[in-house]
Amino acid sequence: MSFNLKPNREEIFLKRVVIIFWLIVFVFVVFVGKLFDIAIFSRSKLLSEFAPQVVPSYDILRAERGEILDRNGVKLATNEITFELDINPSLIPESKVSALKTILKNELKLSSAMIDATFKSNAYVLVSTTVPKDVKDSIEALQCSDGIVFTQTYKRIYPFGEIFAPLVGVVGVDNSGLSGLEFSLNDYLKGKNGRAFRTFSYAEPDILGAPTYILNPESGYSIELTIDANIQAKVYELVKQYVESFNAKSGFAIVTDPSTNEVLAMVSYPSFDPANFKNILPNLPTAFNYEPGSIMKPVVALAALDEGKLKLDDSFYCPGYIKVKDRVISCWQKHGEEHGLVDIMVNSCDVAFANIGLRVGKGALVNYFKLFGFGEPTQLEIAGEEAGILPDVTKIGDVEVANMAFGQGIAVTQMQMITALNAITNDGKLCTPHIIKKITDSSGKVIYESETVVKQMIGTQANIDIIKSAMVQVVEKGAPRARIDGYKVMGKTGTAQKPSPTGGYSRSKLIYSFYGAIPYPTPQVSVIVSINETAIPQYSTTVSAPLFSQIGEFLVKYLRIAK
């Protein structure tokens, strides 16, 4: 008998499978056990050792916004240091809670509901972004710093309040510009926020660690305007006075240096309180399109002289109306016989200028309007500037041309209007307007400085001299309430009818404008004023002309303009 002692192959395979199985089970049990130890027994120790190597987040360090200054360095928009306040109620000692709630309610004016919601949280809650320093000191005196974090920030301050609000504008809660120059120049003003990188203990995640690295913020650039705060304040006072005394809808004005077209004042009323506003009101001199009326006549007269369609001694007859095609266009009064340009300018005769417009023709007239900058923004450095409305030459006929010749049927902004008339005052030089004088960085380095830009030369000197001389007679004979004692003043009135919603023009809703430049023949300052829709219909000679005179009397003294 014989025996086979050699192991069976199947038995060997099964033994190996069993050994591998138990080896896998052993490794799995060890692995699970280690995970259990890390998660439960060694968690705090391991995380405490690991935490200092982690940078999980950062705090924003607010950049200081650049200031907006007038031409003399007077602050129009500046900053006050305030603080953001974060509170973690779970870390506030119970004995301090009542006193802290009292400060939040009485000093920061938080509602009871907001305070209760804050103190129900177990994490940090942003309570306020504008905590004054004295309130910060009161809270820190409670000595509960573990649950309280202050971060320095800035509150925007507007020292002149409503006087500059539509022009300078305002910022939002994030300190970014919402309107006016604050909006249009936001990229220069805002600066660049810094960061404070922090570590914290994962074992105690509710406790903030100290910053490990700080990237300092960069302050915004400061903007110096061409505006003079004293002129702005006086013009605002007078425009407000006239709007209220005539119970008008609104009033707006611009003061410039006509030789450079630098803006010395830009006023819009009604205004708003930039520190506490519900609605932001527009800057009317750049944002409001209106039909200018007779204040446009010097532009039309220059176009006619240059085109050879008008002579200085041309005579006209005004029966009080003119029939163009199938339309009857009325003049504001019957003037009868008129002799020469001076007569029709002094009388502000619509019939005469309708005839002049028809002589010039629609193509040449529209081209002159374009030369003077109508139909496009002036490129003033402020957002939201309207372009006005200049009709398409292919879509107008004789009736429209007759109306446009005395400033109806064309819409402008006040900035466009003073720019065009300044070109005549400035001997044909059409200058791009400026409201920024220079921009400086936080070290005082000038990064931008404006220069006078002559955009266009318009008209011959001889014809411009004729228009300027006629504008002096407008003040002397046609609008005596615009006079300024001891000075020769160039000027032009404008009483424009507003379009009616039902078609045609309203006889009671009017805009009263006046442009004046002081002194003739080389003006150092020019002013345009407009009063919109008085309660009782008036004439520009009784509304805007005397307003100009009062502004002018202030300017000649303040700017020490020689007679």
Side-chain angles (χ1 to χ4, degrees):
M1 173 179 263
S2 63
F3 296 92
N4 185 6
L5 299 177
K6 189 175 181 179
N8 186 283
R9 290 183 179 181
E10 291 184 5
E11 292 177 356
I12 295 172
F13 176 75
L14 288 174
K15 288 179 181 179
R16 287 176 179 175
V17 168
V18 170
I19 293 169
I20 291 171
F21 170 77
W22 285 111
L23 183 61
I24 291 172
V25 169
F26 174 77
V27 172
F28 179 75
V29 169
V30 172
F31 179 73
V32 171
K34 189 63 177 175
L35 285 178
F36 189 78
D37 175 63
I38 291 172
I40 304 299
F41 299 108
S42 303
R43 177 178 181 275
S44 297
K45 177 176 180 296
L46 291 173
L47 289 178
S48 296
E49 293 173 355
F50 181 65
Q53 303 171 43
V54 178
V55 183
S57 64
Y58 57 84
D59 294 333
I60 297 294
L61 302 180
R62 303 294 179 190
E64 183 173 7
R65 192 172 177 84
E67 294 182 315
I68 299 178
L69 314 168
D70 88 335
R71 66 188 301 117
N72 300 310
V74 176
K75 295 179 180 180
L76 310 180
T78 186
N79 307 295
E80 178 183 278
I81 292 177
T82 57
F83 300 87
E84 287 184 359
L85 170 60
D86 291 89
I87 293 177
N88 187 335
S90 66
L91 300 177
I92 305 295
E94 191 64 33
S95 60
K96 309 287 188 179
V97 169
S98 178
L100 180 56
K101 285 184 175 181
T102 299
I103 293 174
L104 296 180
K105 182 176 182 179
N106 295 339
E107 301 296 333
L108 296 184
K109 308 300 180 185
L110 300 185
S111 66
S112 297
M114 185 174 179
I115 293 172
D116 291 341
T118 298
F119 277 82
K120 288 178 182 177
S121 176
N122 292 319
Y124 278 93
V125 177
L126 177 62
V127 174
S128 175
T129 58
T130 56
V131 178
K133 189 177 184 306
D134 59 335
V135 177
K136 173 179 178 284
D137 292 342
S138 298
I139 293 174
E140 288 183 333
L142 298 177
Q143 297 182 341
C144 47
S145 58
D146 283 348
I148 292 175
V149 175
F150 285 105
T151 304
Q152 180 174 297
T153 184
Y154 300 92
K155 180 181 178 181
R156 201 63 162 166
I157 302 296
Y158 300 97
F160 286 83
E162 65 178 31
I163 293 172
F164 277 97
L167 173 62
V168 169
V170 291
V171 297
V173 292
D174 61 350
N175 222 27
S176 291
L178 294 179
S179 67
L181 294 169
E182 291 276 33
F183 175 76
S184 56
L185 302 175
N186 189 63
D187 287 345
Y188 293 100
L189 291 164
K190 67 182 180 180
K192 187 176 181 180
N193 290 333
R195 296 179 181 182
F197 294 91
R198 291 183 178 275
T199 61
F200 62 87
S201 170
Y202 281 99
E204 299 176 287
D206 291 334
I207 299 177
L208 294 177
T212 57
Y213 176 73
I214 293 177
L215 183 64
N216 289 320
E218 298 176 14
S219 297
Y221 297 159
S222 288
I223 314 290
E224 183 179 312
L225 305 181
T226 59
I227 296 286
D228 186 306
N230 292 325
I231 297 176
Q232 178 87 7
K234 185 63 177 179
V235 174
Y236 182 84
E237 173 194 327
L238 290 171
V239 169
K240 180 179 179 180
Q241 175 188 319
Y242 271 71
V243 169
E244 293 178 348
S245 63
F246 284 98
N247 196 18
K249 195 172 183 178
S250 60
F252 40 111
I254 303 174
V255 179
T256 70
D257 176 344
S259 66
T260 62
N261 217 16
E262 283 189 345
V263 178
L264 303 179
M266 183 173 281
V267 164
S268 183
Y269 183 82
S271 184
F272 62 96
D273 180 1
N276 183 24
F277 60 91
K278 293 182 179 179
N279 296 308
I280 297 173
L281 299 181
N283 184 51
L284 295 176
T286 58
F288 180 57
N289 286 323
Y290 66 103
E291 297 190 22
S294 296
I295 201 170
M296 182 66 82
K297 287 172 180 172
V299 171
V300 176
L302 181 60
L305 288 170
D306 278 351
E307 289 291 304
K309 303 299 183 181
L310 176 67
K311 295 179 181 178
L312 183 59
D313 57 356
D314 279 353
S315 293
F316 296 86
Y317 178 76
C318 173
Y321 66 91
I322 181 174
K323 187 173 182 181
V324 182
K325 299 293 185 180
D326 60 343
R327 298 286 184 86
V328 174
I329 299 172
S330 298
C331 191
W332 67 278
Q333 74 174 43
K334 179 180 177 179
H335 295 107
E337 293 288 344
E338 298 174 297
H339 303 288
L341 176 62
V342 172
D343 259 11
I344 63 173
M345 285 279 282
V346 169
N347 293 339
S348 199
C349 180
D350 295 341
V351 168
F353 273 89
N355 276 308
I356 291 170
L358 292 170
R359 290 183 191 177
V360 173
K362 66 179 184 179
L365 186 62
V366 170
N367 282 339
Y368 267 88
F369 285 148
K370 289 180 178 179
L371 280 176
F372 276 98
F374 297 115
E376 62 181 20
T378 64
Q379 299 180 352
L380 186 72
E381 310 97 330
I382 185 168
E385 184 185 10
E386 290 288 338
I389 302 172
L390 184 62
D392 184 340
V393 71
T394 65
K395 297 179 180 180
I396 59 175
D398 288 350
V399 174
E400 291 78 15
V401 170
N403 278 313
M404 290 165 64
F406 55 87
Q408 301 278 183
I410 176 175
V412 304
T413 66
Q414 195 179 59
M415 189 71 249
Q416 287 176 325
M417 198 69 244
I418 195 171
T419 295
L421 293 174
N422 277 349
I424 294 174
T425 298
N426 196 27
D427 296 332
K429 301 181 187 74
L430 182 75
C431 296
T432 301
H434 286 293
I435 203 164
I436 296 176
K437 197 168 185 67
K438 64 181 177 181
I439 301 175
T440 56
D441 66 16
S442 56
S443 69
K445 180 183 177 182
V446 176
I447 64 165
Y448 170 80
E449 195 160 10
S450 64
E451 297 178 350
T452 301
V453 176
V454 178
K455 186 177 180 180
Q456 190 78 251
M457 289 296 299
I458 303 172
T460 67
Q461 188 62 55
N463 288 337
I464 287 170
D465 288 343
I466 290 170
I467 300 297
K468 289 170 71 172
S469 177
M471 291 173 72
V472 173
Q473 295 306 308
V474 167
V475 174
E476 291 299 314
K477 298 177 181 178
R481 295 184 66 179
R483 293 174 183 167
I484 299 170
D485 287 345
Y487 292 85
K488 273 192 175 183
V489 178
M490 295 168 49
K492 186 66 191 80
T493 55
T495 305
Q497 294 175 288
K498 298 177 72 173
S500 172
T502 58
Y505 287 89
S506 171
R507 293 184 177 276
S508 60
K509 295 182 178 181
L510 309 170
I511 295 181
Y512 312 91
S513 299
F514 190 90
Y515 169 87
I518 318 161
Y520 173 82
T522 310
Q524 296 176 43
V525 67
S526 62
V527 181
I528 188 169
V529 294
S530 299
I531 301 296
N532 178 24
E533 205 174 310
T534 57
I536 300 173
Q538 307 283 331
Y539 288 105
S540 57
T541 52
T542 59
V543 180
S544 53
L547 171 56
F548 162 79
S549 179
Q550 286 187 255
I551 293 171
E553 286 173 357
F554 166 78
L555 291 173
V556 295
K557 295 174 184 175
Y558 179 75
L559 298 175
R560 297 179 175 84
I561 296 175
K563 294 182 179 180

